[in-house]
Amino acid sequence: MSAADTAPAEDGPVTMMDYFMQLEYHELLCPVVRRYASQLLEGRLVGHKCPSCGLVYVPPRGYCPICVVETTDADEIVLADKGTVTNYTVVTPVQYYGQEETEPFVRASILLDGEGGMMNLQDIVDVPVDDVHVGMRVEAVWKPPGERNVDEISNRSWGSAEGCIDGWRPTGDPDVPAEQLRDKAF
Amino acid sequence: MECVLLRPVPEPPRTTHTIEFPYTRTLGPVIGPFLTGLRDQRILGARTPNGGVLVPPLEWDPATGEAIEPDLVEVGPGGTVETWAWVTQPSRKHPLDHPFAFALIRLDGASTGLLHAVDAGSMDQMRTGMRVTARWKDERIGHMTDVVFVPEAAA
């Protein structure tokens, strides 16, 4: 939308006005997220493994909300950049103000191999949207080191690796049976 | 005497989130004609049943709740500053990009003060009780910012 859409006719009555509200938040990154971001720039996905229950949080939060215990650098582990799609949504973009996507795209949850850790809201690339499925094996598509940035990383831990990982592409490995993924997605 | 060395401290990394809501609002039977008037270089007020003139106009008299008289009346373009505050560092959303005054301006013919900007050049030029007059933008769209006020002496 632009001012021109609602600009009054040169001599007609003015009946509408643009009311453009803009809120700009500046947020300091907490130390745990800063470390996560610096590791991402190095091409490493790291998380915190809860010393009590063993759940892996990526990005790390500095605490396990289930056990209510603090996690620190001592609980940091390097995670695999391969994993399995545990669930996904196909988003059909509506062209509202600010929407930059024009074609249907996927946002998937990915359970990482090995120690685990769940990446949410991830883009699946190099495969038609219709072919994405639960159990599909995928690997991270890292940006080249010189092109990485962590501008979109925030304290709210939405599983973001945006700016460092372009998305996840199928490895071609055999699927993981969906039964094995129960209780893994959250 | 103790000497303290101040070293520059690197700023911690931070992120910026911008949320935008591009609303379009309907203006209604009073504000619509008021903004139409501004586009046409006229400042309009609403007459109340007891003889007052509200600028900017409202649909009801805030003192009594009664509906205003149907026809708006023209006021100004001159007026008197009732009170003011000098803005030394305008923000990007302020009506002027250099220091100015926000003032309550009692326009000639009005019984209320209109909050608006006075482009006075410097704070020395501002006085309570001073006369100001409208200065219109060349390109007007029917918005409050179609006009700012200037000291009558400078107009």
Side-chain angles (χ1 to χ4, degrees):
Chain A
M1 185 182 300
S2 70
D5 294 336
T6 53
E10 195 65 23
D11 52 359
V14 178
T15 59
M16 309 279 277
M17 69 174 280
D18 288 336
Y19 186 74
F20 189 79
M21 185 184 288
Q22 188 181 52
L23 305 172
E24 197 173 289
Y25 294 93
H26 298 286
E27 185 180 323
L28 298 180
L29 289 182
C30 68
V32 167
V33 175
R34 263 148 58 186
R35 182 168 170 87
Y36 169 76
S38 65
Q39 297 275 41
L40 269 185
L41 289 172
E42 297 292 321
R44 283 190 296 274
L45 266 178
V46 300
H48 278 187
K49 184 172 184 173
C50 172
S52 172
C53 70
L55 267 179
V56 174
Y57 295 95
V58 52
R61 304 182 186 194
Y63 61 93
C64 172
I66 297 171
C67 304
V68 198
V69 297
E70 186 180 3
T71 61
T72 68
D73 287 352
D75 302 304
E76 182 180 287
I77 54 174
V78 177
L79 304 170
D81 60 359
K82 285 185 183 174
T84 305
V85 173
T86 63
N87 56 42
Y88 67 97
T89 300
V90 176
V91 182
T92 303
V94 172
Q95 297 306 304
Y96 53 74
Y97 173 87
Q99 173 63 272
E100 293 174 355
E101 302 289 343
T102 56
E103 302 301 319
F105 60 96
V106 170
R107 286 291 174 268
S109 294
I110 296 166
L111 176 66
L112 302 177
D113 288 356
E115 296 274 13
M118 184 67 77
M119 297 287 287
N120 294 311
L121 295 171
Q122 299 301 300
D123 199 6
I124 305 293
V125 297
D126 294 355
V127 61
V129 163
D130 292 342
D131 291 349
V132 175
H133 54 274
V134 171
M136 188 167 79
R137 302 279 296 139
V138 292
E139 63 187 1
V141 182
W142 289 89
K143 281 184 186 295
E147 297 175 19
R148 292 174 194 157
N149 71 76
V150 290
D151 299 344
E152 300 295 324
I153 306 295
S154 82
N155 290 330
R156 280 177 293 283
S157 307
W158 277 47
S160 179
E162 201 175 329
C164 292
I165 293 177
D166 278 331
W168 301 71
R169 68 179 161 227
T171 62
D173 295 336
D175 288 353
V176 173
E179 298 76 45
Q180 293 181 22
L181 299 171
R182 275 186 197 149
D183 303 325
K184 298 287 190 186
F186 64 91
Chain B
M1 183 163 45
E2 191 176 353
C3 178
V4 178
L5 288 176
L6 292 177
R7 285 190 299 270
V9 177
E11 183 164 326
R14 65 178 196 171
T15 56
T16 301
H17 300 280
T18 304
I19 301 174
E20 295 179 338
F21 302 96
Y23 292 116
T24 304
R25 299 176 70 168
T26 53
L27 297 170
V30 172
I31 300 297
F34 172 67
L35 293 183
T36 304
L38 291 182
R39 185 200 58 196
D40 299 338
Q41 302 191 49
R42 300 167 68 220
I43 304 172
L44 302 177
R47 288 178 298 135
T48 62
N50 63 7
V53 177
L54 310 172
V55 182
L58 298 169
E59 294 181 30
W60 287 274
D61 182 352
T64 65
E66 290 182 273
I68 57 160
E69 304 293 336
D71 296 323
L72 301 181
V73 294
E74 189 166 350
V75 298
T80 304
V81 169
E82 293 187 316
T83 185
W84 54 278
W86 190 250
V87 179
T88 54
Q89 292 183 309
S91 79
R92 61 195 164 91
K93 292 190 173 180
H94 278 159
L96 294 164
D97 61 5
H98 50 268
F100 67 97
F102 272 124
L104 269 182
I105 301 162
R106 176 85 68 109
L107 290 166
D108 298 338
S111 49
T112 60
L114 171 72
L115 179 64
H116 216 302
V118 177
D119 191 6
S122 77
M123 192 165 70
D124 302 341
Q125 303 301 312
M126 291 300 301
R127 293 280 184 279
T128 297
M130 72 187 285
R131 293 285 300 168
V132 294
T133 193
R135 182 182 70 198
W136 300 96
K137 279 190 185 169
D138 291 335
E139 289 189 17
R140 296 177 305 281
I141 59 170
H143 194 275
M144 206 61 196
T145 53
D146 284 351
V147 65
V148 295
F149 291 85
V150 292
E152 213 165 57

